[in-house]
């Protein structure tokens, strides 16, 4: 029997499935706590899953006057209201970054593990809400596209794709061509239907002006939530910190204590995060930053304005 993977470096399907219970603590419905990043001063409210017309009936004391159908009321001489129920089976598309830039961590997890766990938690909760689940799981040289579908089988296919992509990452892996972030975003624009929920888990490496245009396009007719994932070392490098970076073929040792190296790394990471956060100001897109240096679920609870779990 193969040994279980180190959960800080790789995750597996069994672990992602076990997150179904903890995922009940989260919510991706329009009604959010006042302190939720999805209901904040700078972020637009989630549109929700839409409404289905159920019936036309006579007005009763306590009904919202805004639901009165004035045409029918004028024609019959009696007040009538239109009754709606919240639409079920809304499509949700999760974009999960598992490129080699995500295979990095200095404190707790690899960024790739944090992305996998956050996406799995979201997928479990969305499925429990009665919505369809699909995703685009992408590495440097492969991409799995799973259209949103109902049922546990669709959820398991997504979790399996995430686990396989995560376990494919290793330090000796040679990266010949890096898949740009815009490629899965273009796939999302092709797959997503109007009114979808789109969640993106990535470090947003190689984000550019085209990335911004694609995300703005997706957000025009869908609910988009961004989960930028960073390692704490990116903004607070230890004074005497050396590490080896490799693309699977070449490697270089970097000394973070050196002034130019330190400032260069910090400026790249801070600029990347600033770009993503600016999309909240410009387009009202909720941004929920995650760090690979802390446990995933408590971070998501805090960003959603939920009290600390007992």
């Amino acid at each position: 029997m193969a040994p279980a993977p180190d959960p800080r470096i790789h995750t597996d399907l069994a672990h992602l499935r076990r997150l179904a219970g903890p995922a009940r603590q989260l919510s991706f419905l329009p009604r959010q706590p006042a302190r939720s990043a999805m209901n904040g001063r700078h972020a637009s409210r989630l549109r929700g899953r839409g409404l289905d017309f159920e019936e036309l009936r006579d007005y009763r004391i306590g009904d919202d006057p805004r639901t009165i159908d004035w045409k029918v009321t004028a024609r019959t001489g009696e007040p009538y209201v239109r009754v709606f129920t919240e639409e079920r089976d809304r499509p949700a598309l999760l974009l999960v970054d598992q490129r080699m830039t995500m295979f990095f961590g200095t404190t707790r997890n690899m960024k790739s593990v944090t992305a996998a766990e956050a996406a799995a938690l979201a997928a479990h909760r969305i499925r429990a809400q009665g919505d369809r689940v699909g995703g685009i799981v992408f590495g440097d040289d492969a991409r799995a596209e799973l259209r949103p579908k109902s049922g546990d089988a669709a959820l398991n296919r997504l979790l399996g794709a995430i686990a396989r992509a995560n376990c494919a990452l290793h330090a000796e892996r040679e990266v010949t061509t890096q898949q740009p972030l815009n490629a899965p975003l273009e796939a999302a624009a092709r797959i997503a239907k109007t009114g979808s929920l789109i969640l993106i888990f990535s470090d947003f490496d190689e984000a550019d002006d085209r990335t911004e245009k694609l995300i703005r396009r997706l957000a025009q007719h869908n609910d988009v939530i961004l989960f930028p994932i960073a390692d704490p070392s990116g903004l607070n490098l230890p004074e005497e910190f050396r590490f080896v970076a490799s693309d699977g073929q070449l490697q270089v040792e970097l000394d973070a204590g050196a002034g130019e190296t330190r400032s260069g790394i910090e400026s790249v990471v801070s600029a990347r995060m600033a770009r993503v956060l600016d999309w909240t100001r410009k387009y009202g897109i909720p941004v929920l930053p995650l760090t690979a240096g802390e446990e995933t679920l408590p971070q998501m609870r805090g960003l959603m304005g939920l009290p600390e779990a007992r």
Side-chain angles (χ1 to χ4, degrees):
M1 180 181 295
D6 185 329
R8 300 167 301 172
I9 300 175
H10 290 110
T11 188
D12 59 16
L13 181 57
H15 173 65
L16 298 183
R17 283 175 172 169
R18 285 194 294 269
L19 295 176
R24 298 192 190 101
Q25 303 175 35
L26 307 176
S27 173
F28 291 92
L29 295 175
R31 189 181 296 275
Q32 291 285 320
R35 293 180 295 175
S36 172
M38 293 186 289
N39 195 33
R41 182 176 58 179
H42 301 295
S44 61
R45 292 176 181 268
L46 297 180
R47 296 179 180 87
R49 296 177 288 187
L51 298 173
D52 283 332
F53 175 72
E54 183 173 309
E55 64 174 333
L56 187 69
R57 61 165 172 78
D58 58 299
Y59 178 84
R60 301 169 187 168
I61 296 176
D63 285 338
D64 188 339
R66 291 174 296 181
T67 63
I68 294 177
D69 188 315
W70 295 106
K71 290 184 179 180
V72 176
T73 298
R75 187 169 64 248
T76 62
E78 299 289 337
Y80 276 79
V81 296
R82 297 176 69 86
V83 179
F84 295 87
T85 56
E86 189 174 40
E87 180 185 39
R88 305 285 288 180
D89 209 29
R90 182 192 192 192
L93 193 66
L94 283 65
L95 278 66
V96 188
D97 190 345
Q98 294 291 291
R99 296 176 295 172
M100 277 298 291
T101 61
M102 298 287 288
F103 194 61
F104 180 79
T106 60
T107 307
R108 181 184 175 89
N109 290 339
M110 293 293 195
K111 292 188 294 181
S112 52
V113 169
T114 296
E117 290 182 339
L121 286 164
H124 280 297
R125 191 66 193 107
I126 291 167
R127 176 70 198 107
Q129 292 170 183
D131 293 330
R132 283 177 281 159
V133 177
I136 300 174
V137 184
F138 58 100
D140 292 290
D141 52 10
R143 182 171 74 235
E145 296 182 10
L146 304 170
R147 292 181 178 271
K149 293 183 179 180
S150 300
D152 292 338
L155 173 61
N156 285 328
R157 280 193 293 271
L158 176 59
L159 298 180
I162 295 172
R164 286 191 297 274
N166 183 267
C167 290
L169 294 170
H170 55 84
E172 290 76 30
R173 182 176 180 181
E174 181 178 346
V175 179
T176 54
T177 57
Q178 182 177 10
Q179 180 168 200
L181 179 60
N182 294 340
L185 290 175
E186 290 167 351
R190 170 171 45 85
I191 294 173
K193 297 181 179 180
T194 298
S196 297
L197 175 63
I198 302 174
L199 281 62
I200 304 175
F201 306 84
S202 174
D203 62 359
F204 290 89
D205 181 59
E206 292 195 348
D208 55 19
D209 292 342
R210 174 66 177 161
T211 308
E212 181 173 341
K213 290 179 181 178
L214 286 167
I215 288 178
R216 181 180 62 189
R217 173 183 166 189
L218 288 170
Q220 285 178 338
H221 303 292
N222 304 282
D223 284 326
V224 176
I225 306 174
L226 306 180
F227 293 84
I229 298 166
D231 186 82
S233 66
L235 294 175
N236 187 24
L237 286 169
E239 290 291 341
E240 298 182 1
F241 180 62
R242 292 175 178 268
F243 63 96
V244 175
S246 172
D247 63 359
Q249 186 174 21
L250 301 175
Q251 66 180 31
V252 61
E253 182 177 0
L254 297 175
D255 180 7
E260 290 186 5
T261 301
R262 183 187 187 88
S263 61
I265 295 173
E266 291 178 348
S267 64
V268 168
V269 174
S270 60
R272 185 186 300 168
M273 184 62 72
R275 176 191 281 269
V276 176
L277 291 172
D278 192 47
W279 296 337
T280 292
R281 180 186 62 82
K282 293 167 69 174
Y283 310 120
I285 299 173
V287 176
L288 282 65
L290 297 174
T291 173
E294 299 177 15
E295 191 177 347
T296 307
L297 178 62
Q299 289 186 77
M300 295 181 72
R301 286 182 52 84
L303 290 165
M304 293 181 175
L306 300 170
E308 293 186 10
R310 295 182 179 180

